[in-house]
Amino acid sequence: MNKNLVGFILIALVAAILWGALKDRSSAPLAVSISIIGDIDNERIYNADTEPSNWLAFGRTYEEQRFSPLSQINRDNVSDLGLAWYKDMQSNRALEATPIVVDGMMFLSSEWSKVYALDAKTGEEIWFYDPEVPGAWGRKACCDVVNRGVAIYKGKVYFGSLDGRLIALDAATGELIWEVDTLLDRNDEYTITGAPRVANDKVFIGNGGAEFGVRGYITAYDVHTGEQVWRFYTVPGDPSLPFEHPELEMAAKTWNGEWWEIGGGGTVWNSIVYDPDFNHLYFGVGNGSPWTRAIRSPGGGDNLFLSSIVAVDADTGQMKWYYQTTPGDNWDYTAIADMVLADMEVDGKQHKVLMQAPKNGFFYVIDRSNGELLRANKFVTATWATHVDMETGRPVEDPAFDYIEDPKWVLPGPDGAHSWQAMAFDAGRRLAYIPAVESPFVFSMKEEWKKTGKYKHIVGGWNLGVESLESSLLNMSNAGEPLKAQGYLKAFDPLTGKSKWIVELLHYWNGGTLATAGDLVFQGNSVGDVNAFDADTGEVLWTFNAFTAFLAPPVTYMIDGAQYIAILAGTGGGGALFAGEVPNLASVTYGNFGKLLVFKLGGDVELPPPTVLDRTIPEPPESDASEEEIQTGKVGYHSYCAGCHGSQVRSSGVIKDLRLMLPEIHSIFKEIVFDGVYAEKGMAGYADLLNETEIDQIHAYIISRANEDREAALAEGE
């Protein structure tokens, strides 16, 4: 028999077997061969409403409204919702990804940038890819070793790795096709935690790291080869050198001092949206580095393009317009919250709008054709500014909350009024469903700067320009009474600035939202509940206790006539790690064991309840440290350790509670923190920032706190 004919028969046989295995995975049959699994392109995403059974892109459609036309699950029957299947993600860190569901397959990412392809009907794992991020890179991640998702386009899976690579995999097999290094310098503190976006045969990705003092940018790569197409820098570099693109010459006029020596910040670490109506790419720009403009840009200036929404031509990267939400940002008010596109009548005229509710507490409605500001209403308490002047588009700062001279409690704090957790928008109701935050912070200038007017940039460390919260609290008597931290789910009208309804949540750090045509809003929260709310009233119609807190947003899809709701459980990030031992937080009670949960009507799978954590503090070793050394260690701990291990050495349960260290860990504390013997476990050494004496002082403070809380627990037990 002819060898070519034999080969053809074998290929046909294999294809037939694969087709038989996969054909029942979707309610819509595949019209083409199995070799193009993940066959998503611009047209398919643009017309996503014609196939609501899939969730084709990060926000489902290019508009990123996170609203699904599916209505099989609705307000009348949601009480019958039950667990259809779940997958143990083998994770104890934050899970933040939006799953992509196409033609019966689900693609998602987890901690340390790991990627999974699953059967969306059964949860069976089809393939798994681990980019093997070096554990020591975790130190460069300000807010956990997270990943917010993948993009699927023309048979490939695209994602960013924590250590700055953009990777393309075969959607059918998970095999590596190409990877590129997106970083300017691998010695800098860059990360990638956000989900890429795809359009016009390009994949777009930004990066994180502004807290450490890097320079922000966003890059477009060819989807087929990984070749760089264009790059847009969000802050200017050294003005004595040629600017990389014309917009930077204009931006440089809004800066003072020598900002380029410490990077400037402005990272594009979350929100990127493609607009097919104008062929625009919109991206939200992060905070400056340091946070304080007095240090970052002495003499003032707006510091473009920090805390801005920027629109560029998606094919060339040429800027079309920008709107700066917080000129001269002084509070870490990044503009990285997810953006939503919609068609809306404003003041009697139809507009194609962009909407965002960023950290600074104002909800913006902008004409996305030209950047014209249409509305700017507060959606939470925001004390730093009284209002936005609609003539100039600029916020009017309240001088009473200027913290240059004295510490001040300010709302919002660095966790924002709304951070990266996704909001949903129901165009029919004209309501945005926002996981809103009121989390105050004591802003206080660094003592070194107050005394000398100088600031020392810390290579490899956080460069905020403000005291840590704990250090600021030492001056709390000068800051006034502390404000209450609170979380809400708000059904907010962007045009009137009014909330139709508000649900008060037990903790401020909660999950993203999903709205559906079933008159429902879904959200997971910090105490471990997934809730379905009536979209019109906010009434809780259904609850499922997962025993694990949520940050990720839900998605919904349909297979074989059954609608599913899928959501990742697992908390972390800045709001949970630093918050520490908060009562009722699920991770404090049970730990943080990540799972993918998938629900349908009539689902009857049982989720085994976890064991309550034993948080008994063992007797720590003796310490002969003086009170002065302990207090010095307290400042050191809150400068270098609290961001992961919790304020006052009280962990949220996500990362190790250092009060619970066993004797054998205490005995090698210096080897862990100074030498980095646990680097591959994610605990890099700090020999570049701390000397052995300073580490001993931090250890003494940890021992002191362990003794204090252990004695209090024993006394309470008596």
Side-chain angles (χ1 to χ4, degrees), residues 626-639:
S626 67
E627 185 60 30
E628 182 181 0
E629 290 171 323
I630 290 171
Q631 290 305 311
T632 302
K634 177 179 183 177
V635 174
Y637 174 88
H638 285 93
S639 297

Side-chain angles (χ1 to χ4, degrees), residues 10 20 75 134 152 161 192 208 233 325 346 350 365 512 542 568 602 637:
L10 288 174
R75 62 160 62 120
I152 312 296
S161 67
I192 295 178
Y233 288 91
T325 59
V346 185
Q350 281 296 127
V365 182
W542 170 83
L568 281 164
Y637 174 88

Side-chain angles (χ1 to χ4, degrees), residues 418-495:
H418 172 223
S419 189
W420 64 266
Q421 292 97 319
M423 75 175 182
F425 179 70
D426 185 329
R429 290 178 168 85
R430 204 180 69 188
L431 291 175
Y433 299 101
I434 311 171
V437 175
E438 289 187 356
S439 176
F441 187 85
V442 178
F443 283 92
S444 176
M445 295 295 293
K446 279 283 187 184
E447 286 300 316
E448 175 190 19
W449 182 85
K450 283 184 176 181
K451 293 175 182 177
T452 67
K454 297 179 180 180
Y455 177 76
K456 181 181 178 182
H457 176 71
I458 304 171
V459 178
W462 282 41
N463 288 277
L464 308 184
V466 298
E467 296 287 6
S468 69
L469 176 60
E470 190 66 26
S471 298
S472 292
L473 290 178
L474 299 177
N475 299 317
M476 190 173 67
S477 59
N478 297 324
E481 288 298 315
L483 305 171
K484 179 185 177 183
Q486 186 64 60
Y488 306 91
L489 175 60
K490 293 194 173 186
F492 186 80
D493 186 318
L495 297 188

Side-chain angles (χ1 to χ4, degrees), residues 566-645:
I567 184 171
L568 281 164
T571 193
L577 297 184
F578 188 87
E581 196 176 26
V582 178
N584 300 315
L585 203 64
S587 57
V588 171
T589 305
Y590 301 109
N592 191 50
F593 302 103
K595 293 178 179 63
L596 172 63
L597 305 172
V598 180
F599 305 91
K600 70 174 183 178
L601 295 174
D604 58 2
V605 172
E606 294 289 332
L607 186 66
T611 304
V612 174
L613 286 181
D614 181 2
R615 296 181 72 88
T616 303
I617 301 172
E619 185 174 0
E622 294 185 2
S623 171
D624 58 3
S626 67
E627 185 60 30
E628 182 181 0
E629 290 171 323
I630 290 171
Q631 290 305 311
T632 302
K634 177 179 183 177
V635 174
Y637 174 88
H638 285 93
S639 297
Y640 298 100
C641 314
C644 288
H645 294 282

Side-chain angles (χ1 to χ4, degrees), residues 199-200 202 204 218-220 228-232 244-247 274 279-281 283 311-320:
N200 298 358
K202 299 172 189 65
F204 310 100
I218 181 174
T219 313
Q228 182 175 316
V229 179
W230 55 258
R231 173 168 286 170
F232 187 99
E244 290 89 349
H245 46 86
E247 296 87 353
Y274 172 68
N279 198 37
H280 286 172
L281 189 78
F283 52 88
V312 300
D313 184 287
D315 291 327
T316 67
Q318 180 182 3
M319 189 174 75
K320 295 300 183 179

